[in-house]
Amino acid sequence: MMHPHELEFSEAQMRESIVMAMDKISELVNTIDEQDTDRSADADMTLIRAAMQPLPESGVPLAELLDWLFGDACTKSLNTTSPGFMAYVPGGGIFHAALADLIGNSINRYVGVVATAPALSQIEVAVINWFASIIGYELHPSGGFLTSGGSSATLAALTTARTVKLGSSFSDAVIYTSDQSHFCISKAAFLAGFPRENLRILPADENFRLQPDIIRAEMEKDRASGLRPFLIGVNAGSTNTGAVDPLPELADLAEAEDLWLHVDGAYGGLFCMTERGKHAMRGIERADSVVLDPHKTLFLPYGTGALIVKDGVNLRQTYSATAAYMPEMQHTDEAIDMCEVTPELTRPFRGLRVWLPLKMHGAGVFREYLDEKIDLAQWVCEQIEEIPDLDVVAKPVISILAFAVREEGRTRDEANKLTRDLINKINTRQRVSLTGTTIHGRFLIRIAVGGFRTHMDRMEMLVDDLKACLAEVLSAPVA
Amino acid sequence: MMHPHELEFSEAQMRESIVMAMDKISELVNTIDEQDTDRSADADMTLIRAAMQPLPESGVPLAELLDWLFGDACTKSLNTTSPGFMAYVPGGGIFHAALADLIGNSINRYVGVVATAPALSQIEVAVINWFASIIGYELHPSGGFLTSGGSSATLAALTTARTVKLGSSFSDAVIYTSDQSHFCISKAAFLAGFPRENLRILPADENFRLQPDIIRAEMEKDRASGLRPFLIGVNAGSTNTGAVDPLPELADLAEAEDLWLHVDGAYGGLFCMTERGKHAMRGIERADSVVLDPHKTLFLPYGTGALIVKDGVNLRQTYSATAAYMPEMQHTDEAIDMCEVTPELTRPFRGLRVWLPLKMHGAGVFREYLDEKIDLAQWVCEQIEEIPDLDVVAKPVISILAFAVREEGRTRDEANKLTRDLINKINTRQRVSLTGTTIHGRFLIRIAVGGFRTHMDRMEMLVDDLKACLAEVLSAPVA
């Protein structure tokens, strides 16, 4: 062999490469307050093509690769780790998770079954138990597992519901959800095998909430057509406005009609760690399944969602499978082979990146951070309400709000244009990044408070920029 | 707030925590040659329960957590990173991937769409192009994406095939595969919505290969019953014995009958980087979809599989979805929004852990490592063939072989008992870890050569232990 053992780093090589990476990471984190929030528009095809070179036969020094990665490749992007990132639904990126993955990848134990790494494999079970307790589920018989994100968790929820509620023929089953639901519900329904025409996307009310009566009316029509009402997909914090559907009434309906109640708590669910979040989402503990996104509201880096179910047996019924080449499975409630209750067999050691930060700080610190995000959203809402030319269209139930330029005295198109000009001007200042959405033809600016680095100082910058940009927009001559 | 900004590590805290982790990691890696291969049996419920403490309200020092993680929790496990790990299908754990995830998690950019991180998001596209070229696909129009592992990739393959080949009603579609296929095929078929009774698990021949004639006979019966033959699931390196199904003949059959040809190359596929692997798997480039597991044969830590498809449009047709709150999607072939061609929207930055090691070393080094594994498997096979009381039941097509105590002069049960005693004795010596499997009632010991740290010195230990243990087993009084 030309390069004996080249892939096996010596201790010196490991430490040297880590120091090189840490120098770059430290520089990035240390200057984060001064970094522009979004330089993605500066990237061009030359940069993209540089990322897509053909498979190289020989290597390139790490230093060169790091220079490129932390240089233009990283810089010319939406700065999702900036304190000013309030676009989409903010993710996290606390360093603890990077540390956890460094450890998990280095020890590279197989945590899909108890037999091969008994203590490490059960770290994920611990984390799932924590989430169940946060939601308010009974620890037994609840269950769940970590996924790569909310979409995977939603797909797994629908597959589980399908297995438990329906037979092997399910093309007559109907799913009900609102026009405010994330598209992951309809995508998951299709991927789980439901015909696209069996998804009812129902109009939400003026507070962007799904109404039980509308579902009842639809169900009646569906039953009359020989279809089988099957599942209600409910929002506990919608992406557009942060709306929380009326969980207790929807739970009553699901119970009365024997429907599966699925809650999308990807953004909102973990706010149940706070008093106000728990209050806003009361009834969530009656759901059959709940999706959470720890890469949002536990401030972890992208790549960690969770599915939690009220009855863990439902997962085993859906995902259990084994073969002669597999190790022995557990027959105790105290230890769970994750491959028996998830779609995956081999998978990353996701548990550690959740377990480590919660063990290092305790839940109390996360609760305080989440409470701070609620406070900041309330505060910025009050500031906007005092600005005469702006309308708060959706007040924050948790930490997302939406607003627009007032329509009084303007056509919808005029108001939309002003709102679009406003968000563009705000984003151009590069101190905050906001995104918009369109609901019933009205363009809204969303403020999603969720970054772990986002504190009051940055909210004040947002309000300053908002006021200044609004003045510019309103004083501009109409084109 | 009691702990202002506690989740935001300072540069000093970041570096300190990394040094603490690196001390443990270095110690682990430096002593790996002397570590026992499997101490999982030493774990007990006390250790498992220690991993599963309730959600803590306050924190524990990192040093304490690291002591526990790298102490009993890690040690009392199957040592999947040992050079003696030849059980199941070996995974990897090269440090490069840990380094890549440390970087990816720290910069935490959103790589699901081009618009938000143009260069970083296309690193995954680059990696997929590399895999397509390794398989022998035309770069255009092939496509694919990285998954958490082979099971997720297989599920995505079947969902894609279903979408492309079948309408929204597909309960009459039939899937053909062999009794040597990994159970992920039947699990994926069920999860993708196919009735369990529509899966034909067909007997493999004496070389553990699926035979086209058997499929033809089954298809005839199925068509006569009004069912729709749909997909053939083919092995390019089976888990039990490493068998490669006759790809050219099966490709001919699939082409003639308009079936989707799916290849499970989770273990074998990336051996196409070598001449011998390419030869063994000729015809793989005719598949409609191929699953690869870079966490096996690119020596990465667990958590990286891949689905590669001959026609990338098939993925877009299956997974495309959008919404008002989403950024703008691409309309060029040169840049691909991964959320448009995968089941996921937000997901981990998987591309970097594949891209970085291949960029650092070039494909040549990986090819040499893979060639070495083939050489080692051939060598150990020749050694076993010279031992009179052993039968090589499956010679290595690539780097997996299976053997057992000879049956001549013994009943099946007697031979099985001796073979089980033999593997137990070998594993007890803690220099190698082997696993077995049962095919048609015969218990076989498998040797799966695949660990990046596994070299000739460890293979010699294996042969020494095998000979010594066989002598003990054969001389033991029959119970």
Side-chain angles (χ1 to χ4, degrees):
Chain A
M1 207 192 283
M2 272 170 57
H3 314 267
H5 304 194
E6 185 172 334
L7 295 179
E8 289 134 276
F9 270 16
S10 66
E11 180 173 353
Q13 284 174 307
M14 286 197 307
R15 287 188 185 272
E16 190 194 5
S17 66
I18 281 289
V19 167
M20 286 168 72
M22 284 305 298
D23 284 348
K24 297 287 189 181
I25 292 167
S26 301
E27 191 190 327
L28 181 133
V29 171
N30 270 331
T31 58
I32 202 147
D33 275 339
E34 289 78 47
Q35 289 163 26
D36 288 346
T37 55
D38 185 6
R39 286 188 50 206
S40 59
D42 297 352
D44 59 14
M45 279 312 302
T46 311
L47 182 61
I48 288 177
R49 284 182 198 131
M52 295 204 288
Q53 297 296 307
L55 180 61
E57 184 61 20
S58 38
V60 174
L62 177 61
E64 218 172 283
L65 298 169
L66 290 178
D67 281 344
W68 182 77
L69 277 171
F70 283 87
D72 284 351
C74 182
T75 307
K76 294 181 175 177
S77 69
L78 177 57
N79 190 348
T80 39
T81 61
S82 163
F85 181 67
M86 302 182 214
Y88 308 112
V89 178
I94 53 173
F95 190 70
H96 315 59
L99 182 69
D101 280 6
L102 177 74
I103 294 167
N105 288 327
S106 298
I107 66 182
N108 198 41
R109 289 312 192 260
Y110 181 68
V111 296
V113 298
V114 178
T116 63
L120 298 175
S121 74
Q122 298 313 287
I123 283 177
E124 181 167 348
V125 179
V127 164
I128 291 299
N129 287 348
W130 296 348
F131 290 164
S133 70
I134 288 168
I135 289 304
Y137 277 161
E138 296 291 328
L139 206 58
H140 303 287
S142 72
F145 57 91
L146 297 173
T147 69
S148 62
S151 292
S152 307
T154 304
L155 175 54
L158 264 60
T159 307
T160 304
R162 192 198 79 195
T163 303
V164 172
K165 283 274 179 204
L166 308 167
S168 67
S169 166
F170 51 82
S171 58
D172 57 347
V174 185
I175 294 171
Y176 305 88
T177 196
S178 93
D179 58 14
Q180 295 303 301
S181 293
H182 193 278
F183 75 71
C184 71
I185 289 260
S186 51
K187 189 166 173 173
F190 171 71
L191 297 180
F194 295 96
R196 291 199 197 267
E197 60 270 24
N198 288 14
L199 182 70
R200 305 279 169 269
I201 310 265
L202 307 173
D205 70 7
E206 69 282 7
N207 292 317
F208 311 105
R209 292 153 46 105
L210 178 61
Q211 291 306 305
D213 284 348
I214 293 187
I215 301 178
R216 274 195 202 91
E218 286 292 317
M219 278 175 51
E220 208 169 305
K221 281 191 273 178
D222 285 329
R223 287 209 170 108
S225 318
L227 296 174
R228 268 195 291 180
F230 154 57
L231 178 143
I232 312 179
V234 174
N235 290 307
S238 72
T239 307
N240 272 336
T241 65
V244 177
D245 291 339
L247 284 163
E249 292 87 338
L250 291 165
D252 287 345
L253 174 62
E255 205 173 284
E257 302 283 349
D258 194 27
L259 304 182
W260 185 281
L261 187 71
H262 170 71
V263 172
D264 178 355
Y267 148 66
L270 283 164
F271 277 96
C272 286
M273 292 177 81
T274 69
E275 281 303 314
R276 285 174 288 179
K278 190 91 189 160
H279 179 75
M281 283 173 282
R282 63 195 180 283
I284 195 171
E285 73 286 352
R286 295 176 62 191
D288 294 292
S289 54
V290 177
V291 162
L292 304 174
D293 254 351
H295 63 206
K296 298 189 172 89
T297 31
L298 278 182
F299 315 114
L300 303 183
Y302 297 126
T304 306
L307 170 64
I308 316 289
V309 295
K310 200 199 296 187
D311 187 350
V313 168
N314 293 339
L315 296 179
R316 197 170 290 270
Q317 188 181 341
T318 308
Y319 298 109
S320 174
T322 194
Y325 45 78
M326 289 283 293
E328 210 177 327
M329 298 293 149
Q330 301 300 304
H331 301 283
T332 157
D333 282 348
E334 273 203 283
I336 293 173
D337 296 297
M338 292 313 292
C339 77
E340 284 272 282
V341 296
T342 81
E344 299 161 306
L345 175 57
T346 304
R347 49 213 288 271
F349 186 7
R350 298 191 183 101
L352 197 61
R353 58 153 61 188
V354 187
W355 184 88
L356 190 70
L358 279 164
K359 288 294 267 192
M360 281 178 72
H361 295 280
V365 173
F366 287 86
R367 180 176 301 117
E368 287 162 13
Y369 265 77
L370 290 171
D371 261 326
E372 182 198 26
K373 306 313 159 199
I374 299 176
D375 289 340
L376 296 176
Q378 293 288 353
W379 179 84
V380 79
C381 178
E382 287 157 21
Q383 304 301 308
I384 296 173
E385 283 179 319
E386 286 175 16
I387 302 174
D389 277 289
L390 295 182
D391 241 0
V392 174
V393 180
K395 292 194 185 208
V397 181
I398 313 170
S399 74
I400 291 178
L401 60 152
F403 66 98
V405 171
R406 247 182 222 283
E407 295 197 322
E408 282 85 343
R410 300 179 178 109
T411 65
R412 165 71 46 101
D413 282 353
E414 284 165 357
N416 279 355
K417 187 185 177 305
L418 289 171
T419 308
R420 283 187 193 276
D421 289 348
L422 176 60
I423 193 173
N424 289 340
K425 277 194 190 290
I426 294 170
N427 285 343
T428 302
R429 294 196 167 206
Q430 297 279 9
R431 301 207 296 176
V432 298
S433 265
L434 305 180
T435 45
T437 192
T438 300
I439 303 184
H440 304 147
R442 188 168 188 195
F443 180 74
L444 309 177
I445 301 176
R446 302 164 61 262
I447 299 178
V449 188
F452 66 101
R453 296 191 175 101
T454 304
H455 305 297
M456 184 53 95
D457 55 341
R458 191 61 63 143
M459 301 310 291
E460 287 167 349
M461 288 184 207
L462 163 57
V463 172
D464 289 347
D465 288 354
L466 173 56
K467 286 177 175 167
C469 294
L470 182 64
E472 286 178 38
V473 164
L474 293 177
S475 65
V478 177
Chain B
M1 207 193 285
M2 272 169 57
H3 314 268
H5 303 194
E6 186 173 334
L7 295 179
E8 290 134 276
F9 270 16
S10 66
E11 179 172 353
Q13 283 173 308
M14 286 197 306
R15 288 186 186 273
E16 189 194 6
S17 65
I18 281 289
V19 167
M20 286 169 71
M22 284 305 298
D23 285 347
K24 296 286 190 183
I25 292 168
S26 301
E27 191 190 328
L28 181 133
V29 171
N30 269 331
T31 58
I32 202 147
D33 275 339
E34 289 78 46
Q35 290 163 25
D36 286 348
T37 55
D38 185 6
R39 285 188 50 206
S40 58
D42 297 352
D44 59 14
M45 279 312 301
T46 311
L47 181 61
I48 288 177
R49 284 181 199 131
M52 295 204 288
Q53 296 296 307
L55 181 61
E57 184 61 22
S58 39
V60 173
L62 177 61
E64 220 172 283
L65 297 170
L66 290 178
D67 281 345
W68 182 78
L69 276 172
F70 283 87
D72 282 353
C74 181
T75 307
K76 294 180 176 178
S77 69
L78 177 57
N79 190 348
T80 39
T81 61
S82 163
F85 181 68
M86 302 181 214
Y88 309 113
V89 179
I94 53 174
F95 190 71
H96 315 59
L99 183 69
D101 280 8
L102 177 75
I103 294 167
N105 288 327
S106 298
I107 65 181
N108 199 40
R109 290 310 193 263
Y110 181 69
V111 295
V113 298
V114 178
T116 61
L120 297 175
S121 74
Q122 298 313 289
I123 284 177
E124 182 167 348
V125 180
V127 164
I128 291 299
N129 287 348
W130 296 349
F131 290 165
S133 71
I134 289 168
I135 289 304
Y137 277 160
E138 296 292 327
L139 206 58
H140 302 286
S142 72
F145 56 92
L146 298 173
T147 68
S148 64
S151 292
S152 307
T154 304
L155 174 54
L158 264 59
T159 307
T160 304
R162 192 198 79 198
T163 304
V164 172
K165 283 274 179 202
L166 307 167
S168 66
S169 165
F170 51 83
S171 58
D172 56 348
V174 185
I175 293 170
Y176 305 88
T177 196
S178 93
D179 58 14
Q180 294 304 300
S181 293
H182 194 277
F183 75 78
C184 70
I185 289 258
S186 51
K187 189 166 174 174
F190 171 71
L191 297 180
F194 296 95
R196 290 198 199 267
E197 60 270 23
N198 289 13
L199 183 70
R200 305 280 168 270
I201 309 263
L202 307 173
D205 70 6
E206 70 281 6
N207 292 316
F208 312 106
R209 292 154 44 107
L210 178 61
Q211 291 306 306
D213 284 348
I214 292 187
I215 301 178
R216 275 194 201 93
E218 286 293 316
M219 279 175 51
E220 206 169 307
K221 280 190 273 176
D222 286 329
R223 286 209 170 109
S225 319
L227 296 173
R228 267 196 291 181
F230 154 57
L231 179 144
I232 312 178
V234 175
N235 290 306
S238 72
T239 308
N240 271 337
T241 65
V244 177
D245 291 339
L247 283 162
E249 292 86 338
L250 291 165
D252 287 344
L253 174 63
E255 205 173 284
E257 301 283 349
D258 194 27
L259 304 182
W260 184 282
L261 187 70
H262 171 71
V263 172
D264 178 354
Y267 147 66
L270 283 163
F271 276 97
C272 285
M273 292 176 82
T274 69
E275 281 302 314
R276 284 174 289 178
K278 190 92 189 159
H279 179 77
M281 284 173 282
R282 64 195 179 282
I284 195 171
E285 73 287 352
R286 296 176 63 190
D288 294 292
S289 54
V290 177
V291 162
L292 304 173
D293 255 351
H295 62 208
K296 296 188 174 90
T297 31
L298 278 181
F299 314 114
L300 303 183
Y302 297 126
T304 305
L307 170 64
I308 316 290
V309 295
K310 199 198 299 184
D311 187 351
V313 168
N314 293 339
L315 297 179
R316 197 170 290 271
Q317 188 181 341
T318 309
Y319 298 108
S320 175
T322 194
Y325 45 78
M326 289 284 291
E328 210 176 327
M329 297 294 149
Q330 301 300 304
H331 302 283
T332 157
D333 281 349
E334 273 203 282
I336 293 173
D337 296 298
M338 292 312 292
C339 76
E340 284 272 281
V341 296
T342 81
E344 299 161 306
L345 175 58
T346 304
R347 50 214 286 273
F349 186 7
R350 297 190 184 101
L352 197 60
R353 58 153 63 188
V354 186
W355 185 89
L356 190 70
L358 279 164
K359 288 294 267 193
M360 282 177 72
H361 295 281
V365 173
F366 288 85
R367 181 175 302 117
E368 287 161 14
Y369 265 76
L370 290 171
D371 261 327
E372 183 198 25
K373 305 314 159 197
I374 298 175
D375 289 340
L376 295 176
Q378 293 289 351
W379 179 83
V380 80
C381 178
E382 287 157 21
Q383 304 301 307
I384 296 172
E385 284 180 318
E386 286 175 17
I387 301 174
D389 277 287
L390 296 182
D391 242 0
V392 174
V393 180
K395 291 194 185 206
V397 181
I398 313 170
S399 74
I400 292 179
L401 60 151
F403 66 98
V405 172
R406 246 181 222 284
E407 294 197 323
E408 281 85 344
R410 299 179 179 110
T411 67
R412 166 70 45 100
D413 281 353
E414 284 166 358
N416 279 353
K417 185 181 179 307
L418 289 171
T419 308
R420 283 187 192 276
D421 289 348
L422 176 60
I423 193 174
N424 289 340
K425 276 193 190 291
I426 293 170
N427 285 341
T428 303
R429 294 196 167 204
Q430 296 279 8
R431 302 206 297 176
V432 297
S433 265
L434 305 180
T435 46
T437 191
T438 300
I439 304 183
H440 305 146
R442 188 168 187 193
F443 180 74
L444 308 177
I445 300 176
R446 302 163 62 261
I447 298 177
V449 187
F452 66 101
R453 295 190 176 102
T454 304
H455 305 298
M456 184 52 96
D457 55 342
R458 191 63 62 143
M459 301 310 291
E460 287 168 347
M461 288 182 206
L462 162 57
V463 172
D464 288 348
D465 288 354
L466 172 57
K467 285 178 176 168
C469 294
L470 182 65
E472 285 179 38
V473 163
L474 293 177
S475 65
V478 179

